[in-house]
Amino acid sequence: MPKQQIDFEESSALLRKYGISAAGKQVYAIHDALAVADETGYPVVVKPVSRKIIHKSDQGAVFLDIRTKDQLEAACRTLEQKIGGFDPSEKEGLLVQKMAVTGFELLVGARQDPGFGPVTMVGIGGIFVELYADVAMGVGFLSRQDVENMLKNTRAGKVLDGFRGQHYDKTAIVDLAVNVSRLMAENPDICELDLNPVIVYEKGSAIVDTRLIRDSEARSPKAKDVRGWKRDSINAIFNARSVAVIGASRPGTQGGVILKNCMGIQKLYPIHPKLKEIHGLKCYPSLGDLPEVPEVCVFAVNPERTVAIFEDFCKLGGKGAIVFSDGFAERGRKDLETRLIELSEQYKVAFIGPNCMGVIDNFSGLNTNYIPALRSVPVPKPNCVGVISQSGGIGLELLEMFSADNQNLGKWVSIGNAASVGVPEILDHMGNDPKIKLIAIYLEGVADGLKLMKVGREVAKRKPVLIIKGGTGGGAKAALSHTASLAGSHEAFKACCDQAGFYLVEELTEDPKILVNVLSILTSQPKTDGSRIAVVSVGGGAGILLADQVTEEGMALAEFAPETKQRMQALIKKDLKPAQLKIADKILQNVGSNPIDLFGDCDDDRLLESIRIVDKDPNTDVIIAAIYMQVPLLSEYLPERLVELKEEITKPLIISPRGFSAYVDRCRAYMVSRKLHTYTVPMMKPLRIALKIWKKYDCSFLE
């Protein structure tokens, strides 16, 4: 049965069960409408209750401020023609309401999301609700604090807090949103709900229009826990002491590449029915011929053989698997993927994949990436960062960006089809791993939204979780309610991130390098609590551009303390030539302002000392140094001296070498090799995000 709007009488009765009162009375004859108007008192409003008219205002079917019986009767006859007559058996009639007093118009709505269940929204309402699109959303049965947090993200919330001295009953709206979320949680067949407008006053509110849509076939998802045996399997994969590679072969093949990349594993067993030796390792024809049961099995053979050998592996007592092989559900062979899942459930052996690029664990040496090292840029040294990717391609791109920036990486997982182990399970593992302190996730679809949210809530209490979401475009199809047109799946996902404590990095759509720079800043710079930025430049133009970007990103340019300005002026003055001393006042007039221009005759000592001066400034939190390293008076030893300086100063120092010459590239490469990361673009967005993460999670990730 298709979705259907339920009539006012049924809607009103259901709303009353949850303490929600909708104004008006439904009637099926003009004389009854006149009687209701006499009872409530004029002025009144009359509108149709009909499945034929969905958006009443758009179709000219709402008559406001009716003050006489003649006006009401004329309006009723017009509506009778619009809906083709009144019919009590079909609930086709009229709604008569007392004309509401003008106030602040809000929308409170909700919908059932296939991945997250009930999603409640609140924001600016009225006839321009889609135009303003000023709504915030929350997932599940909301607490009062959840709704308070939602309102903080809207202009509606600022009005309710008392904009320009006008006060409204915010408590009434919070109560209403909580009650709506409970109604939706307990009635999953109500797939959409609109209360619009809800007119809020200084005391109390009035619900002017209601629309509830029923879908009798709707099913509400349930939050699930990560199962204990899956957790054990994942732990076995990441702590693998013995690994068998099914499909291991000679160099140049996928199985050969995987085997070579796994050479860091102490007990590594190539499986091939004919070969005797690969990469100096003894080769075995089958699992049964091994001297022991391997803890982990990596599959790089066709899907039919994968299923058969995975069953043998499970029966032998294996602990976990990585199924690199493709040709499963993504190629139309859902039956083979289903069989893998059945075996996994039967023997309690979880697997990552199929159709994945697997796992890189720089702590254990496990690396099932099938890209040859010569064609990619592996990251061999471990650090505190874990990366989870639904896309093998994006995962590889991020991996190469890490290497290009000489950044280390702890764990990297490509989950592929996620038939057995999805993002929530890997997030749970990394969340419980003390070696991992920062987690970044690339998502395209959310199959287990509530599980992700449940796991994420616990993990985000201990460490930051950065989420990058692909597939955010597109909108809702023709909708029966304002809620459905505004509350798409991406909006529900954003609500999930807010409530779980994730940091959603939406800027990744501009450039994936943003994420890499964020992680670089977090893991290579000392933590700071503020966002007052000092810009020091050798070359005035670069400093001005960076200063503009600072303010555009919502950060503040530091206002230097008087002693900082005095020290900067003294630094410049001591280098003035005799002829310049006569006009020193003019030269020094702007010295000590932010951004700081160190002039074209700047040498190493002036640059380094200026950074030291700013580092001691009480009004500065972060230092950005824009340096044209090509200028003649800066020496070729400057990169070494900047590396030494980094150990001395106490504040984050963001080095931005300007230009792209071979000399600048060599300088950058030297500094990065000594863990002094440098940044071209993008830079300001990552800095702004890093500052927010330091503040949000209140912890340091310095390696």
Side-chain angles (χ1 to χ4, degrees), residues 101-142:
V101 177
T102 302
F104 181 41
E105 294 187 353
L106 294 174
L107 162 69
V108 178
R111 68 181 285 262
Q112 300 289 352
D113 184 87
F116 293 100
V119 178
T120 301
M121 62 190 294
V122 60
I124 291 177
I127 61 173
F128 300 120
V129 59
E130 284 92 355
L131 177 64
Y132 290 122
D134 176 57
V135 294
M137 302 178 195
V139 175
F141 183 8
L142 303 175

Side-chain angles (χ1 to χ4, degrees), residues 245-253 255-260 263 268-284:
V245 179
I246 310 298
S249 191
R250 299 189 190 281
T253 64
V257 172
I258 292 172
L259 181 68
K260 189 172 183 179
M263 295 293 281
L268 184 61
Y269 300 114
I271 305 293
H272 193 284
K274 296 179 180 178
L275 297 177
K276 301 298 183 184
E277 184 179 285
I278 308 173
H279 296 315
L281 297 173
K282 181 180 178 181
C283 198
Y284 298 86

Side-chain angles (χ1 to χ4, degrees), residues 1-4 6 112-114 187-192 213-221:
M1 180 181 294
K3 296 179 182 179
Q4 287 191 334
I6 62 179
Q112 300 289 352
D113 184 87
N187 297 272
D189 60 317
I190 303 299
C191 61
E192 297 170 24
I213 312 296
R214 173 172 284 137
D215 182 357
S216 57
E217 298 178 358
R219 297 290 180 270
S220 183

Side-chain angles (χ1 to χ4, degrees), residues 110-247:
R111 68 181 285 262
Q112 300 289 352
D113 184 87
F116 293 100
V119 178
T120 301
M121 62 190 294
V122 60
I124 291 177
I127 61 173
F128 300 120
V129 59
E130 284 92 355
L131 177 64
Y132 290 122
D134 176 57
V135 294
M137 302 178 195
V139 175
F141 183 8
L142 303 175
S143 68
R144 294 184 59 80
Q145 188 59 55
D146 288 332
V147 180
E148 293 271 6
N149 291 339
M150 288 160 57
L151 286 168
K152 288 178 183 176
N153 296 323
T154 65
R155 285 174 286 173
K158 292 179 174 62
V159 174
L160 290 174
D161 284 333
F163 185 70
R164 291 189 173 177
Q166 180 65 56
H167 296 284
Y168 296 103
D169 195 342
K170 182 178 178 180
T171 299
I173 299 304
V174 172
D175 289 340
L176 177 58
V178 169
N179 290 340
V180 165
S181 73
R182 179 170 166 241
L183 183 156
M184 296 296 289
E186 295 178 1
N187 297 272
D189 60 317
I190 303 299
C191 61
E192 297 170 24
L193 178 151
D194 260 3
L195 306 179
N196 179 47
V198 176
I199 304 180
V200 60
Y201 306 110
E202 190 168 338
K203 198 162 186 65
S205 63
I207 299 172
V208 173
D209 200 9
T210 64
R211 181 176 294 126
L212 276 68
I213 312 296
R214 173 172 284 137
D215 182 357
S216 57
E217 298 178 358
R219 297 290 180 270
S220 183
K222 303 295 182 185
K224 298 177 182 177
D225 293 315
V226 173
R227 297 162 80 176
W229 63 268
K230 287 193 176 183
R231 185 178 284 127
D232 293 341
S233 281
I234 295 168
N235 288 338
I237 291 170
F238 281 101
N239 295 289
R241 288 171 291 187
S242 57
V243 176
V245 179
I246 310 298

Side-chain angles (χ1 to χ4, degrees), residues 269 344 491 678 686:
Y269 300 114
S344 172
E491 285 71 26
T678 65

Side-chain angles (χ1 to χ4, degrees), residues 5 108 116 145-146 156 453 478 491 512 525 617 667 691:
Q5 181 177 338
V108 178
F116 293 100
Q145 188 59 55
D146 288 332
M453 189 170 164
E491 285 71 26
Q525 299 288 348
D617 180 68
C667 292
L691 291 172

